[in-house]
Amino acid sequence: MQAGTLSTFLKRGAIWGFILFELIFFSVAGAFLSLSDKAFMDLDNMLRLFKQSAPIGIIAMGMTIIMINGNIDLSVGATFALCAIVLLDSLTWPIFAGLGDWVIPVSWALALLTGVLLGAINGLIVWKTGVDAFIVTLGSMLGYRGLVFMYNGEQPTSHLNWTLVDFAETQFLGLHTATWFLLAVTLVIWFLMTRTIHGRNAYAIGDNREAAVNAGIRVGPHMMINFMIIGFLAALSAVVFYSESGSVNPNDGELYELWIITAVVLGGTKLTGGAGSVISTFGGVLAIQLLRKGLGHIGADTSTVNLVIGLILIAVLYLDRQLNRKGAEELKI
Amino acid sequence: MTGQTPALRLEGIVKTFPGVRALDGVSFSVMPGEVHALMGENGAGKSTLMKVLGGIYQPDAGQILIEEAPTVMASPLEAKAKGVVFIHQELSLADELSVAENVYLGELPRKSFGRVDWDRLYADTERILDRLKVGFTPQTLVGDLSIANKQMVEIARALTVDAKAVIFDEPTASLTDAEKDVLFEVIADLKARNVGIIYISHRMEEIFRITDRVSVLRDGQHTGTAITADTNEEAVTQMMIGRKLDLSRNVAHHELGDVALEVRNLSCGHLYKDVSFKIRRGEVVGFYGLVGAGRTEIAETLFGLRDPSAGQILLDGQALRITSPTDAIERGISLVPEDRKGQGLVLGMNCRDNMTLPQVDDLKAGPFVAEGAEVAIFDQYRDRLDIRTPGWKQLVGNLSGGNQQKIVIGKWLSMHPNVLIVDEPTRGIDVGSKSEIHNLIRDLAAQGYAVIVISSEMPEVLHVADRIYALFQGRITREFTSEDVTEDSLVRAISGLADNGGAQVA
């Protein structure tokens, strides 16, 4: 076996091994501890798990591109909330009153466009100013959230469109609408990152930016496109979720960015860029959702869930570092 | 070769940097199908010349002609597009991507919808790799390759364009003999295809094995070009070092003390192997070798930054393990690092705080830092080392290179070391301050410190060192005293060539 193959295998396969471990653990532990008499791996329960993974999962696919590219986006939670408001509010605008249910695609388009626009703003600033994406999106996170509050104060924005609710609650081949969206997005982004020139260049930029520049890759435009993609996905996530719930609080989507980054990192994407996989991110999203659900199933409360996920994240990164060490030749700190 | 059009010609290239005339009217040409060696000591201007050629620097005067057509190289990309390709010594690859993607980085073949045409990519890469006779496939991850194979990937990149001239910058620095043979075959193949090749190397044997002509640079000037078959190693060495050194050799005029530091058979992975040396109090020992010969890594081991894989370190005759820089400092070993601004100083802090950085913990008055004591230490070493600064409040980043270096040295002297290791003490320092630093090093030895000077500048080691250890590929090849050293034998020792005379160190 070639050197490095083992660690690569461990890294790639680790997230699925972890998911398997979770399933077994919660099934067994659930049999003793759970108050409900349903098994943890009940089909309905698993289908719901996929559906609940969708809002974070859809955005996590965008975050994977952004992080492979060597950037980060902290503004996704605020973008998510703002796009939700655009969706629900525009459904009630008088100019669209004559459209009947045709207002739905119009509102969807408006919300998605808003997401792309907000992402483009982030990307343009990162590209043209050279300021670190962490700082830029920290700023826009606050800024976009400010816009959310300006829209309707502390009040929730609500509008239930029953056609939309029906659409969102449909189960096609057993899977919910939101799950289909998550699967479709995963497939498209996987294709983008593994099969297209844009995707491969994004890897190269994150891996060795100087080499990419020297090879004539236009780093700025690639980064901007990726920010537009994540903006679009944050909007798509909002559109899918709020079509069903019909009401957005100004605080919605807070801390989403952290859950998303956690999922992406658990999936093995490097914080420094250049390495990562969309499929593993999908695993990371499922692993977190399983953990939340599983701990709930055996009677733990939310604070315990957060504590456990935090500890697991640090343990995973420590393991990753151990597997990647080059041994005695590394400089000590 | 007369009557033919040169593939590439440089005409009267001048490039000045503040205070230095790096290139002073250099002219130079490569014919199609010729391998032309470019030689010169570190700092002679080779890398500046190559940066001008590669579009990284713009020349102040002179011009570049490709097949006799004047050309402006605005960027590395443009140079490549015009058929001038570099094989860099430092690798510029993306480890997480496949070989094929690296070879065609920035130029991936395209299908509809922006998809990568993998079939074509792999087929094209396969064809290039076949020419190079390498043992890996286009699908291999670059991160899994050895350094030598990574170099092959760099070379494969050069073969993707219709190159008129290919520049190899120290290509064999990390290659084994077998890998070198493959490289030379590749060069022969390029030569047969009428590509002009510029071959930069310090290694005489290679120069005489594969090149047609040799050109030598010294102090930014072109000192001569010779047909390789008509010249010999002595003549080329003469062209490289030609100057009469006005620097006197130094010999210790004071009594040497006991052995302060001894190292026995020290090894660290493949970075250096089986290194043994000793140094007495009051002595300056020079470590001379090319970049990558393992000099800095040995210093880092002595300072506790690397763990040796084998061997012994003895301080005052006692064997010990140095596990961290804190440990090294406590035992009186100090390191003035190679990269002054990156490793030696905190540029945004003032002179005093930089000077007392390693001992703030000891300078406490209650829970606070004793600023008075700090200022006293700064004043003492400012006077002793003649550091010119308006005051201790001055930010170190605003000082000249020479004064910055004195702050670093003062910082360690204030810790009362036994052994002072100085890595490239005068890199980026102007000529006037250089001799000041040299005198300072001599003074420190006279005061009883044991000083190790690591340098890639020959005049510097010759000037300051009482004894010189020559390093080549992680081993000490020879030891010289200031009486028996000659420039010629020193050049040979760091190029891995045999020599008669002088003590051979196993």
Side-chain angles (χ1 to χ4, degrees), chain B residues 266-283:
Chain B
L266 202 66
S267 300
C268 182
H270 69 267
L271 295 170
Y272 59 84
K273 280 192 189 72
D274 214 9
V275 165
S276 302
F277 59 90
K278 54 178 96 172
I279 171 163
R280 294 169 174 279
R281 289 182 200 284
E283 189 179 35

PDB file of all heavy atoms in Angstrom, chain B residues 266-283:
ATOM      1  N   LEU B 266      24.846  13.287  14.129  1.00  0.00           N
ATOM      2  CA  LEU B 266      23.457  13.743  14.197  1.00  0.00           C
ATOM      3  C   LEU B 266      22.776  13.557  12.834  1.00  0.00           C
ATOM      4  O   LEU B 266      23.342  13.884  11.799  1.00  0.00           O
ATOM      5  CB  LEU B 266      23.436  15.223  14.597  1.00  0.00           C
ATOM      6  CG  LEU B 266      22.161  15.764  15.206  1.00  0.00           C
ATOM      7  CD1 LEU B 266      21.903  15.122  16.562  1.00  0.00           C
ATOM      8  CD2 LEU B 266      22.254  17.281  15.361  1.00  0.00           C
ATOM      9  N   SER B 267      21.551  13.018  12.864  1.00  0.00           N
ATOM     10  CA  SER B 267      20.764  12.847  11.637  1.00  0.00           C
ATOM     11  C   SER B 267      19.342  13.318  11.886  1.00  0.00           C
ATOM     12  O   SER B 267      18.863  13.291  13.017  1.00  0.00           O
ATOM     13  CB  SER B 267      20.708  11.376  11.212  1.00  0.00           C
ATOM     14  OG  SER B 267      22.001  10.898  10.964  1.00  0.00           O
ATOM     15  N   CYS B 268      18.675  13.742  10.814  1.00  0.00           N
ATOM     16  CA  CYS B 268      17.263  14.105  10.925  1.00  0.00           C
ATOM     17  C   CYS B 268      16.585  13.718   9.622  1.00  0.00           C
ATOM     18  O   CYS B 268      16.668  14.442   8.634  1.00  0.00           O
ATOM     19  CB  CYS B 268      17.119  15.602  11.197  1.00  0.00           C
ATOM     20  SG  CYS B 268      15.415  16.127  11.402  1.00  0.00           S
ATOM     21  N   GLY B 269      15.930  12.559   9.614  1.00  0.00           N
ATOM     22  CA  GLY B 269      15.228  12.084   8.420  1.00  0.00           C
ATOM     23  C   GLY B 269      16.148  12.147   7.215  1.00  0.00           C
ATOM     24  O   GLY B 269      17.318  11.781   7.287  1.00  0.00           O
ATOM     25  N   HIS B 270      15.614  12.643   6.091  1.00  0.00           N
ATOM     26  CA  HIS B 270      16.480  12.787   4.923  1.00  0.00           C
ATOM     27  C   HIS B 270      17.014  14.211   4.803  1.00  0.00           C
ATOM     28  O   HIS B 270      17.609  14.576   3.817  1.00  0.00           O
ATOM     29  CB  HIS B 270      15.737  12.363   3.649  1.00  0.00           C
ATOM     30  CG  HIS B 270      14.647  13.307   3.267  1.00  0.00           C
ATOM     31  ND1 HIS B 270      13.350  13.139   3.662  1.00  0.00           N
ATOM     32  CD2 HIS B 270      14.675  14.449   2.541  1.00  0.00           C
ATOM     33  CE1 HIS B 270      12.629  14.142   3.195  1.00  0.00           C
ATOM     34  NE2 HIS B 270      13.405  14.941   2.523  1.00  0.00           N
ATOM     35  N   LEU B 271      16.787  15.032   5.850  1.00  0.00           N
ATOM     36  CA  LEU B 271      17.210  16.435   5.776  1.00  0.00           C
ATOM     37  C   LEU B 271      18.725  16.555   5.905  1.00  0.00           C
ATOM     38  O   LEU B 271      19.363  17.303   5.177  1.00  0.00           O
ATOM     39  CB  LEU B 271      16.524  17.249   6.870  1.00  0.00           C
ATOM     40  CG  LEU B 271      15.009  17.349   6.734  1.00  0.00           C
ATOM     41  CD1 LEU B 271      14.397  17.965   7.977  1.00  0.00           C
ATOM     42  CD2 LEU B 271      14.645  18.179   5.509  1.00  0.00           C
ATOM     43  N   TYR B 272      19.298  15.813   6.868  1.00  0.00           N
ATOM     44  CA  TYR B 272      20.754  15.731   6.952  1.00  0.00           C
ATOM     45  C   TYR B 272      21.111  14.428   7.650  1.00  0.00           C
ATOM     46  O   TYR B 272      20.293  13.858   8.373  1.00  0.00           O
ATOM     47  CB  TYR B 272      21.362  16.944   7.667  1.00  0.00           C
ATOM     48  CG  TYR B 272      20.892  17.153   9.077  1.00  0.00           C
ATOM     49  CD1 TYR B 272      21.482  16.470  10.145  1.00  0.00           C
ATOM     50  CD2 TYR B 272      19.872  18.045   9.355  1.00  0.00           C
ATOM     51  CE1 TYR B 272      21.053  16.656  11.440  1.00  0.00           C
ATOM     52  CE2 TYR B 272      19.425  18.247  10.647  1.00  0.00           C
ATOM     53  CZ  TYR B 272      20.029  17.548  11.684  1.00  0.00           C
ATOM     54  OH  TYR B 272      19.598  17.737  12.961  1.00  0.00           O
ATOM     55  N   LYS B 273      22.339  13.968   7.376  1.00  0.00           N
ATOM     56  CA  LYS B 273      22.717  12.646   7.877  1.00  0.00           C
ATOM     57  C   LYS B 273      24.101  12.666   8.470  1.00  0.00           C
ATOM     58  O   LYS B 273      25.023  13.215   7.884  1.00  0.00           O
ATOM     59  CB  LYS B 273      22.682  11.631   6.722  1.00  0.00           C
ATOM     60  CG  LYS B 273      21.293  11.140   6.397  1.00  0.00           C
ATOM     61  CD  LYS B 273      21.361   9.936   5.475  1.00  0.00           C
ATOM     62  CE  LYS B 273      19.976   9.580   4.972  1.00  0.00           C
ATOM     63  NZ  LYS B 273      19.492  10.569   3.987  1.00  0.00           N
ATOM     64  N   ASP B 274      24.247  12.056   9.644  1.00  0.00           N
ATOM     65  CA  ASP B 274      25.552  11.708  10.163  1.00  0.00           C
ATOM     66  C   ASP B 274      26.484  12.914  10.253  1.00  0.00           C
ATOM     67  O   ASP B 274      27.606  12.880   9.770  1.00  0.00           O
ATOM     68  CB  ASP B 274      26.155  10.641   9.230  1.00  0.00           C
ATOM     69  CG  ASP B 274      26.988   9.664  10.032  1.00  0.00           C
ATOM     70  OD1 ASP B 274      26.940   9.734  11.272  1.00  0.00           O
ATOM     71  OD2 ASP B 274      27.688   8.856   9.407  1.00  0.00           O
ATOM     72  N   VAL B 275      25.975  13.977  10.861  1.00  0.00           N
ATOM     73  CA  VAL B 275      26.733  15.215  10.933  1.00  0.00           C
ATOM     74  C   VAL B 275      27.491  15.287  12.263  1.00  0.00           C
ATOM     75  O   VAL B 275      26.892  15.104  13.321  1.00  0.00           O
ATOM     76  CB  VAL B 275      25.778  16.420  10.796  1.00  0.00           C
ATOM     77  CG1 VAL B 275      26.452  17.700  11.217  1.00  0.00           C
ATOM     78  CG2 VAL B 275      25.264  16.523   9.379  1.00  0.00           C
ATOM     79  N   SER B 276      28.801  15.492  12.198  1.00  0.00           N
ATOM     80  CA  SER B 276      29.611  15.621  13.415  1.00  0.00           C
ATOM     81  C   SER B 276      30.471  16.875  13.319  1.00  0.00           C
ATOM     82  O   SER B 276      31.082  17.125  12.284  1.00  0.00           O
ATOM     83  CB  SER B 276      30.537  14.419  13.584  1.00  0.00           C
ATOM     84  OG  SER B 276      29.796  13.235  13.628  1.00  0.00           O
ATOM     85  N   PHE B 277      30.493  17.646  14.395  1.00  0.00           N
ATOM     86  CA  PHE B 277      31.402  18.810  14.435  1.00  0.00           C
ATOM     87  C   PHE B 277      31.542  19.261  15.875  1.00  0.00           C
ATOM     88  O   PHE B 277      30.791  18.827  16.748  1.00  0.00           O
ATOM     89  CB  PHE B 277      30.883  19.951  13.562  1.00  0.00           C
ATOM     90  CG  PHE B 277      29.528  20.460  13.945  1.00  0.00           C
ATOM     91  CD1 PHE B 277      29.389  21.497  14.866  1.00  0.00           C
ATOM     92  CD2 PHE B 277      28.372  19.909  13.388  1.00  0.00           C
ATOM     93  CE1 PHE B 277      28.131  21.960  15.212  1.00  0.00           C
ATOM     94  CE2 PHE B 277      27.116  20.370  13.739  1.00  0.00           C
ATOM     95  CZ  PHE B 277      26.996  21.410  14.652  1.00  0.00           C
ATOM     96  N   LYS B 278      32.551  20.091  16.121  1.00  0.00           N
ATOM     97  CA  LYS B 278      32.663  20.687  17.443  1.00  0.00           C
ATOM     98  C   LYS B 278      33.082  22.143  17.333  1.00  0.00           C
ATOM     99  O   LYS B 278      33.630  22.567  16.316  1.00  0.00           O
ATOM    100  CB  LYS B 278      33.620  19.893  18.334  1.00  0.00           C
ATOM    101  CG  LYS B 278      34.997  19.669  17.758  1.00  0.00           C
ATOM    102  CD  LYS B 278      35.870  18.933  18.739  1.00  0.00           C
ATOM    103  CE  LYS B 278      35.899  17.428  18.488  1.00  0.00           C
ATOM    104  NZ  LYS B 278      36.877  16.733  19.318  1.00  0.00           N
ATOM    105  N   ILE B 279      32.807  22.879  18.376  1.00  0.00           N
ATOM    106  CA  ILE B 279      33.162  24.291  18.367  1.00  0.00           C
ATOM    107  C   ILE B 279      33.618  24.712  19.756  1.00  0.00           C
ATOM    108  O   ILE B 279      33.021  24.340  20.764  1.00  0.00           O
ATOM    109  CB  ILE B 279      31.972  25.159  17.869  1.00  0.00           C
ATOM    110  CG1 ILE B 279      32.265  26.642  18.056  1.00  0.00           C
ATOM    111  CG2 ILE B 279      30.662  24.781  18.537  1.00  0.00           C
ATOM    112  CD1 ILE B 279      31.385  27.524  17.260  1.00  0.00           C
ATOM    113  N   ARG B 280      34.743  25.472  19.788  1.00  0.00           N
ATOM    114  CA  ARG B 280      35.311  25.918  21.063  1.00  0.00           C
ATOM    115  C   ARG B 280      34.840  27.317  21.405  1.00  0.00           C
ATOM    116  O   ARG B 280      34.401  28.063  20.533  1.00  0.00           O
ATOM    117  CB  ARG B 280      36.844  25.951  20.960  1.00  0.00           C
ATOM    118  CG  ARG B 280      37.459  24.598  20.788  1.00  0.00           C
ATOM    119  CD  ARG B 280      38.931  24.737  20.425  1.00  0.00           C
ATOM    120  NE  ARG B 280      39.544  23.423  20.400  1.00  0.00           N
ATOM    121  CZ  ARG B 280      39.954  22.779  21.489  1.00  0.00           C
ATOM    122  NH1 ARG B 280      39.850  23.351  22.675  1.00  0.00           N
ATOM    123  NH2 ARG B 280      40.480  21.575  21.386  1.00  0.00           N
ATOM    124  N   ARG B 281      34.988  27.659  22.669  1.00  0.00           N
ATOM    125  CA  ARG B 281      34.711  29.042  23.074  1.00  0.00           C
ATOM    126  C   ARG B 281      35.739  29.959  22.397  1.00  0.00           C
ATOM    127  O   ARG B 281      36.914  29.627  22.330  1.00  0.00           O
ATOM    128  CB  ARG B 281      34.847  29.182  24.587  1.00  0.00           C
ATOM    129  CG  ARG B 281      33.741  28.502  25.320  1.00  0.00           C
ATOM    130  CD  ARG B 281      33.881  28.696  26.816  1.00  0.00           C
ATOM    131  NE  ARG B 281      33.099  27.674  27.492  1.00  0.00           N
ATOM    132  CZ  ARG B 281      31.771  27.720  27.588  1.00  0.00           C
ATOM    133  NH1 ARG B 281      31.112  28.747  27.078  1.00  0.00           N
ATOM    134  NH2 ARG B 281      31.115  26.750  28.179  1.00  0.00           N
ATOM    135  N   GLY B 282      35.263  31.082  21.928  1.00  0.00           N
ATOM    136  CA  GLY B 282      36.164  32.031  21.295  1.00  0.00           C
ATOM    137  C   GLY B 282      36.401  31.745  19.821  1.00  0.00           C
ATOM    138  O   GLY B 282      37.245  32.359  19.189  1.00  0.00           O
ATOM    139  N   GLU B 283      35.644  30.801  19.277  1.00  0.00           N
ATOM    140  CA  GLU B 283      35.880  30.401  17.897  1.00  0.00           C
ATOM    141  C   GLU B 283      34.663  30.732  17.022  1.00  0.00           C
ATOM    142  O   GLU B 283      33.521  30.627  17.469  1.00  0.00           O
ATOM    143  CB  GLU B 283      36.130  28.892  17.861  1.00  0.00           C
ATOM    144  CG  GLU B 283      36.597  28.382  16.521  1.00  0.00           C
ATOM    145  CD  GLU B 283      36.840  26.876  16.565  1.00  0.00           C
ATOM    146  OE1 GLU B 283      36.106  26.155  17.274  1.00  0.00           O
ATOM    147  OE2 GLU B 283      37.754  26.431  15.869  1.00  0.00           O
TER     148      GLU B 283
END
